[in-house]
Amino acid sequence: MSNNYHFYSFYPKSNFYTMFYIKSNFIFLNILFSMVLFHTSLKAQTKHKIIYGKVTDSDNEDVVGAIIVVNKKYNTITDFEGKFSIKMPKESSSQKYQLECSYVGFNTYTAQIQIPEGQDSILHNIILNKDKTLLDEVVVSAGKYEQNITDITVSMDVLKPTLMENKNTTQLDQIMNQVPGVNVYDSQISIRGGSGFSYGAGSRVLMLVDEMPMISADANDIKWNYLPLETTEQVEVIKGAASSLYGSSALNGVINLRTMYAKSKPYTHVTLFTGTYDAPRNLSYKWWKGTSQWQRGVNFAHGEKIGNWDIVVGGHMFSDDGYRYLETEDRGRLNTNIRYNFKKLPGLSAGVNTNMMNTKGGLFFLWQNADSVYIPQGKDIQRYSNNRFNIDPFLVYGFGTHKISFRNRYYLTQNRNDKNQEATAELYYSELQYQKRWLNQSLTLGTVVMYQQVYSDSLYGRHTGKNTAGYVQYDGKFFDKLNVSAGLRGEFYRVDTAFTRGVIAIDELPVLNATTTQNIKTRLSNLPFQPVLRLGLNYQLFQYTFIRASYGQGYRFPSVAEKFVSTSVSSLKIFPNNKLQPERGYSAEIGVKQALKIKDWKGYFDISAFYMEFRNMVEFVFNIYAPNGPTGFWLNDLPYAGFMSQNIGNARIQGIETTLMGNGNIGPVNVTILSGYTYIDPVMLGYDPKRDTLGLPGIKTLKYRNRHLFKNDVQFDWKFISVGWSTRYQSFMENIDRRFTESIFKEYGFDLPIFYVLPGLKEYRAKEMASGKKGNWIHDARIGFQINKTLKVSYIVNNVFNEEYSSRPGDVRPPRQHFVQIQVKI
């Protein structure tokens, strides 16, 4: 087959789905423009007194989304340029008005304004000053609008681009391993143990870029090296089910990467780096000569306002010789954010964001043996050449306290390799959202249409998917202390002929006690959509103390890859399972956040207890999958040994988590810290050692989880010198697939090394347990010198003590690395 795919010509249904998607967009646009025209005509028909102006901060940056209230009755919100115009009925020729302006992280501004007699309007510009009493951490992912992190009802962590730059992060999954409670197992992310290892298929954590899904249409996985770190404003991590706002795949949490827009002053950032791998502690692993294995790369970003245009351009080049034999990577990425603000219709903006990347290299999956962990099985590797592309057109119109947004995304992934495993997948996403904000309340309504088209004769076959949903979210603050959040979503999902059969499980509702749950067994089933609920409370107990409680349901429909993939990786086969069912679940937590202030240092300490349950949990399981079960003859069963995604039953994960985060000056030194400890107890419910034999014998702990996690990063900035130290601890992985530690035909009496999927793993794990370490401590260090206002030079060492550790069986991570980094900021 030719590599030049001609989209839509493969599959008879694809034209239908594409046209249906286009028609849906026309309907959304008609609704949007009708509301714009209605509002415009309404403005022309009424006479008002008008106060207008612009809100900026002390650095002269526009403040977008600030709330303006006049006489505690009339209110509006600043637009994308920080401008506002608020109208009051024309009651008298001259009248005084009490104006208040508030925004998260700033002190409330108040003023008495009088419109002179004979005038109908007055200009009043506002400068907001930072609130120095609390950490001014502004987030949007919890409620789709700006909130202080102390006010939200769920657990959330925030990553700033400064930390990513300081640690020389080249793709997002590297820095995600520094977030409390988060682990990435060979590209598979897990929050508080919600996921194990599932190679390249399905994610319980939804990746968003600017609040829209950035997961592939075929595998529903996250392409970490595609995410535009060079233009990142901040990354927000929601812990726990968030399907009510974001839908399927948000079963275990959400990561929202928010990209930047142009500021009031032009800026240019350029980062260059180069580095090398040290020899591993075990010198027998080293297959290269000298220091021949290098990494090098460059990131750049430029933002500027030109007239009505906001323009950001970013790029990334990266090359890695690799520390594992034949595993190399070369990639190039280019992205833009373009927005136009209409002057004649204030509040209306339109734009388009794009990102594109090509990456080539070799894919390492399993070691050859425990004594040669950096050599792939068979000394062979998959050589790939992959393309990624997305384009995101949008329209946003804000008028008064109302905002309408129409966002779209087309996301293309093309995977090519030398193993005849080609696949092309397209994702079309559209979301129409209406938001009303007034005083301390917010109401958000939205509808989503998403289509998927997958073409791969050699890997999956050809498939189509459809996802439609509607949601509503209410957030309110009462008595200046109590924040209430409630959301509801209805979601329909279809892949080919398999579709959602919604279920309401009465025994999952949080208002029921044990007796009621025991008596009520009725379920509403076979609904045409899956309803998903979310509830949350946050109460300010004392001036700097906030307590919260939340409950959220989750839902995930299996990906095309999980249901239909048929391939092999190294010596392992991966089998399809078209009977795979959706998984559901819920998470609940209670927590306390204590704001901290030490002179000019501001931060918080957070402690939470969480509980999660999953129904029909999907896990990647290694076994013998002969069509009619094992035959009892090893030669017949050999072709059917491999992985398959399966519904393993029900599971429960509970635990506790603590987090310390803050930034500011303590004396002459600026101190920044992000630290946390997480304990989880992940178990299979109804575990039967005679029936549940796929994991290690007698262990009911879910596979591929670390019971204890500790993360810490601290940086000290003094004058022109900065010093940083990162620490990560993960406890020993208690349970893995049983067949990884024994011959796959042990029950047939064959215990030869050639029948081991991972030769030497059993002895490798036994040696690790015998060492008494009970886990791995990884440390990174950095020191930087600010040469002048624009130039910074840094020396960075990852894995300072050259620890040997793995993210999952057969995947030993890099030895010590040294980097020199140069940053230029203008």
Side-chain angles (χ1 to χ4, degrees):
M1 173 184 283
S2 169
N3 286 347
N4 298 317
Y5 281 75
H6 299 283
F7 302 136
Y8 316 130
S9 62
F10 278 76
Y11 196 34
K13 289 187 178 181
S14 64
N15 280 324
F16 168 77
Y17 281 106
T18 304
M19 291 305 299
F20 196 92
Y21 176 81
I22 293 172
K23 289 178 180 178
S24 300
N25 280 350
F26 274 122
I27 293 172
F28 286 171
L29 281 170
N30 284 333
I31 295 172
L32 177 60
F33 280 118
S34 296
M35 296 186 74
V36 171
L37 291 173
F38 172 76
H39 176 251
T40 304
S41 63
L42 192 65
K43 286 200 300 182
Q45 294 171 11
T46 56
K47 293 184 178 181
H48 300 87
K49 290 283 189 179
I50 300 173
I51 301 174
Y52 67 98
K54 187 172 184 176
V55 180
T56 58
D57 63 14
S58 55
D59 296 324
N60 201 35
E61 292 291 344
D62 302 336
V63 178
V64 179
I67 298 176
I68 314 291
V69 181
V70 174
N71 293 347
K72 299 187 181 297
K73 183 177 181 182
Y74 310 106
N75 52 86
T76 191
I77 298 173
T78 56
D79 64 16
F80 290 104
E81 296 181 296
K83 295 180 179 179
F84 70 93
S85 177
I86 189 164
K87 305 169 182 62
M88 294 77 62
K90 191 173 182 180
E91 298 174 356
S92 62
S93 59
S94 178
Q95 183 176 343
K96 291 183 179 180
Y97 298 94
Q98 177 73 28
L99 181 144
E100 291 185 2
C101 177
S102 60
Y103 187 72
V104 177
F106 291 85
N107 293 319
T108 300
Y109 172 93
T110 60
Q112 284 275 354
I113 299 174
Q114 183 172 358
I115 300 178
E117 188 172 349
Q119 289 185 209
D120 290 330
S121 63
I122 189 170
L123 171 67
H124 188 84
N125 292 327
I126 299 170
I127 298 176
L128 293 180
N129 295 311
K130 290 276 189 178
D131 181 357
K132 296 182 179 181
T133 60
L134 289 176
L135 184 68
D136 54 341
E137 200 69 79
V138 181
V139 298
V140 300
S141 303
K144 290 184 178 279
Y145 73 99
E146 298 84 359
Q147 296 174 278
N148 194 303
I149 197 168
T150 58
D151 290 335
I152 62 175
T153 63
V154 295
S155 286
M156 180 186 289
D157 288 321
V158 177
L159 291 173
K160 296 294 186 180
T162 304
L163 177 61
M164 292 185 271
E165 293 168 358
N166 290 339
K167 288 181 64 63
N168 198 53
T169 303
T170 58
Q171 57 187 56
L172 187 63
D173 55 330
Q174 297 169 354
I175 198 66
M176 292 308 302
N177 275 316
Q178 201 63 54
V179 178
V182 178
N183 254 13
V184 181
Y185 304 100
D186 193 16
S187 297
Q188 182 74 32
I189 187 168
S190 173
I191 297 178
R192 294 173 170 174
S195 299
F197 168 64
S198 177
Y199 177 73
S203 175
R204 293 192 186 97
V205 178
L206 180 61
M207 183 72 223
L208 305 173
V209 174
D210 294 325
E211 300 182 54
M212 291 188 291
M214 189 64 83
I215 56 174
S216 63
D218 50 359
N220 285 5
D221 65 342
I222 303 169
K223 310 299 184 185
W224 295 104
N225 60 3
Y226 180 60
L227 301 172
L229 299 190
E230 56 275 11
T231 55
T232 295
E233 184 75 26
Q234 73 178 29
V235 178
E236 301 170 4
V237 183
I238 297 178
K239 301 175 180 180
S243 291
S244 64
L245 265 183
Y246 296 108
S248 181
S249 293
L251 184 60
N252 184 216
V254 169
I255 304 169
N256 184 22
L257 186 153
R258 295 166 54 192
T259 60
M260 63 177 67
Y261 274 97
K263 311 260 191 260
S264 59
K265 296 179 181 179
Y267 61 86
T268 301
H269 298 171
V270 179
T271 302
L272 301 98
F273 62 90
T274 186
T276 185
Y277 295 95
D278 258 356
R281 180 180 293 184
N282 187 335
L283 291 177
S284 66
Y285 295 164
K286 186 183 176 186
W287 54 269
W288 64 91
K289 296 181 179 180
T291 56
S292 60
Q293 303 309 105
W294 289 78
Q295 276 190 10
R296 75 288 291 172
V298 57
N299 300 324
F300 75 89
H302 176 77
E304 186 172 356
K305 289 179 179 287
I306 303 175
N308 295 351
W309 296 90
D310 296 344
I311 299 174
V312 174
V313 179
H316 166 79
M317 296 289 291
F318 176 78
S319 180
D320 183 9
D321 296 333
Y323 66 97
R324 297 191 282 206
Y325 184 62
L326 299 178
E327 185 185 47
T328 63
E329 184 180 10
D330 293 281
R331 64 177 180 255
R333 185 170 64 231
L334 181 66
N335 46 78
T336 61
N337 286 6
I338 300 173
R339 181 172 66 192
Y340 183 82
N341 301 299
F342 292 82
K343 297 292 185 182
K344 293 185 178 180
L345 190 54
L348 179 64
S349 64
V352 60
N353 301 340
T354 63
N355 191 17
M356 62 190 73
M357 184 185 75
N358 173 260
T359 178
K360 298 178 181 180
L363 180 64
F364 182 103
F365 186 60
L366 296 175
W367 69 35
Q368 179 167 271
N369 203 299
D371 59 6
S372 51
V373 298
Y374 292 159
I375 306 296
Q377 288 192 355
K379 293 189 176 181
D380 188 23
I381 209 165
Q382 179 192 107
R383 307 301 304 179
Y384 63 82
S385 177
N386 299 333
N387 296 311
R388 315 274 184 252
F389 172 74
N390 71 275
I391 183 168
D392 307 342
F394 64 87
L395 280 169
V396 178
Y397 182 50
F399 53 100
T401 57
H402 309 269
K403 185 175 78 170
I404 306 168
S405 59
F406 178 48
R407 300 181 182 274
N408 305 270
R409 171 164 290 158
Y410 169 75
Y411 179 29
L412 169 70
T413 60
Q414 291 180 319
N415 301 321
R416 308 284 183 266
N417 61 50
D418 60 353
K419 306 299 182 186
N420 192 30
Q421 297 171 335
E422 300 175 351
T424 294
E426 297 173 295
L427 182 144
Y428 302 81
Y429 179 90
S430 287
E431 180 177 7
L432 179 64
Q433 183 189 109
Y434 166 77
Q435 189 170 84
K436 163 73 173 175
R437 292 178 63 188
W438 67 103
L439 300 178
N440 292 320
Q441 300 182 75
S442 173
L443 178 66
T444 304
L445 306 169
T447 182
V448 171
V449 176
M450 184 170 70
Y451 294 100
Q452 300 155 291
Q453 297 182 147
V454 178
Y455 316 97
S456 176
D457 289 341
S458 58
L459 199 59
Y460 312 121
R462 303 173 187 179
H463 304 278
T464 59
K466 175 184 177 183
N467 177 208
T468 55
Y471 62 87
V472 57
Q473 166 107 355
Y474 170 79
D475 295 275
K477 189 168 188 175
F478 301 91
F479 320 114
D480 288 328
K481 289 182 177 292
L482 178 64
N483 286 280
V484 177
S485 180
L488 183 65
R489 185 184 186 97
E491 180 145 336
F492 172 84
Y493 216 112
R494 175 191 292 272
V495 174
D496 295 342
T497 57
F499 58 89
T500 299
R501 291 181 173 86
V503 174
I504 297 179
I506 302 299
D507 55 350
E508 290 180 10
L509 295 179
V511 296
L512 300 179
N513 57 37
T515 304
T516 308
T517 302
Q518 190 68 26
N519 294 334
I520 300 178
K521 296 296 183 181
T522 305
R523 292 185 175 215
L524 298 175
S525 57
N526 290 322
L527 299 176
F529 62 91
Q530 178 62 50
V532 185
L533 175 70
R534 173 176 176 259
L535 300 168
L537 298 172
N538 182 309
Y539 184 73
Q540 187 174 359
L541 187 62
F542 304 113
Q543 184 177 4
Y544 301 124
T545 306
F546 305 82
I547 59 174
R548 68 181 183 276
S550 65
Y551 168 86
Q553 295 176 332
Y555 165 81
R556 190 179 77 86
F557 201 88
S559 68
V560 167
E562 288 171 293
K563 290 175 70 72
F564 302 110
V565 66
S566 180
T567 187
S568 61
V569 181
S570 292
S571 63
L572 288 181
K573 292 182 173 62
I574 303 176
F575 296 99
N577 183 2
N578 59 12
K579 296 181 180 179
L580 199 64
Q581 295 299 308
E583 54 183 348
R584 298 181 297 105
Y586 68 91
S587 63
E589 76 163 12
I590 56 174
V592 178
K593 191 181 296 292
Q594 176 65 51
L596 304 172
K597 191 174 188 299
I598 305 173
K599 294 186 177 179
D600 293 327
W601 188 91
K602 297 182 295 181
Y604 64 80
F605 174 77
D606 188 281
I607 183 169
S608 60
F610 55 87
Y611 182 94
M612 297 182 282
E613 275 200 19
F614 298 93
R615 306 290 176 93
N616 278 338
M617 192 176 200
V618 176
E619 292 277 80
F620 217 36
V621 177
F622 187 86
N623 207 353
I624 296 172
Y625 294 103
N628 298 313
T631 64
F633 181 53
W634 70 271
L635 203 56
N636 291 339
D637 292 341
L638 181 60
Y640 302 105
F643 277 106
M644 179 187 288
S645 293
Q646 289 192 357
N647 296 105
I648 64 167
N650 301 335
R652 182 198 69 214
I653 302 170
Q654 56 189 345
I656 59 171
E657 184 171 276
T658 62
T659 302
L660 175 65
M661 180 180 181
N663 172 262
N665 287 338
I666 300 178
V669 180
N670 184 273
V671 180
T672 304
I673 188 168
L674 173 61
S675 182
Y677 166 75
T678 307
Y679 167 80
I680 63 170
D681 180 28
V683 298
M684 283 188 62
L685 296 177
Y687 173 77
D688 183 347
K690 294 182 178 179
R691 182 190 69 239
D692 301 315
T693 59
L694 298 177
L696 296 178
I699 300 179
K700 65 178 181 179
T701 303
L702 293 172
K703 294 180 298 179
Y704 306 110
R705 267 75 171 183
N706 304 102
R707 192 176 293 273
H708 301 273
L709 294 175
F710 174 73
K711 311 291 181 72
N712 181 69
D713 184 89
V714 60
Q715 173 146 329
F716 304 95
D717 297 290
W718 178 71
K719 294 185 177 181
F720 65 94
I721 300 174
S722 60
V723 177
W725 188 274
S726 296
T727 299
R728 299 178 299 282
Y729 170 77
Q730 58 183 32
S731 62
F732 185 72
M733 190 174 283
E734 299 173 19
N735 197 9
I736 63 174
D737 281 285
R738 170 178 61 88
R739 293 186 183 274
F740 272 165
T741 63
E742 63 186 29
S743 165
I744 57 177
F745 297 119
K746 181 180 179 180
E747 52 264 50
Y748 304 120
F750 294 97
D751 200 25
L752 301 174
I754 61 170
F755 294 128
Y756 277 72
V757 176
L758 277 172
L761 178 63
K762 184 177 181 179
E763 293 76 17
Y764 188 89
R765 284 173 56 85
K767 181 180 177 181
E768 192 170 2
M769 285 188 289
S771 69
K773 291 191 302 182
K774 297 182 180 179
N776 299 104
W777 289 90
I778 315 301
H779 302 274
D780 307 328
R782 58 188 183 268
I783 184 169
F785 301 92
Q786 193 73 47
I787 307 301
N788 53 44
K789 290 184 178 180
T790 61
L791 178 63
K792 182 180 180 181
V793 178
S794 301
Y795 172 57
I796 302 158
V797 182
N798 292 337
N799 194 2
V800 172
F801 300 113
N802 214 7
E803 181 80 2
E804 181 181 333
Y805 68 105
S806 303
S807 66
R808 48 89 179 161
D811 180 40
V812 177
R813 304 312 297 159
R816 181 167 48 228
Q817 293 175 276
H818 303 263
F819 290 98
V820 174
Q821 181 196 72
I822 299 174
Q823 292 185 49
V824 179
K825 294 187 177 183
I826 303 173

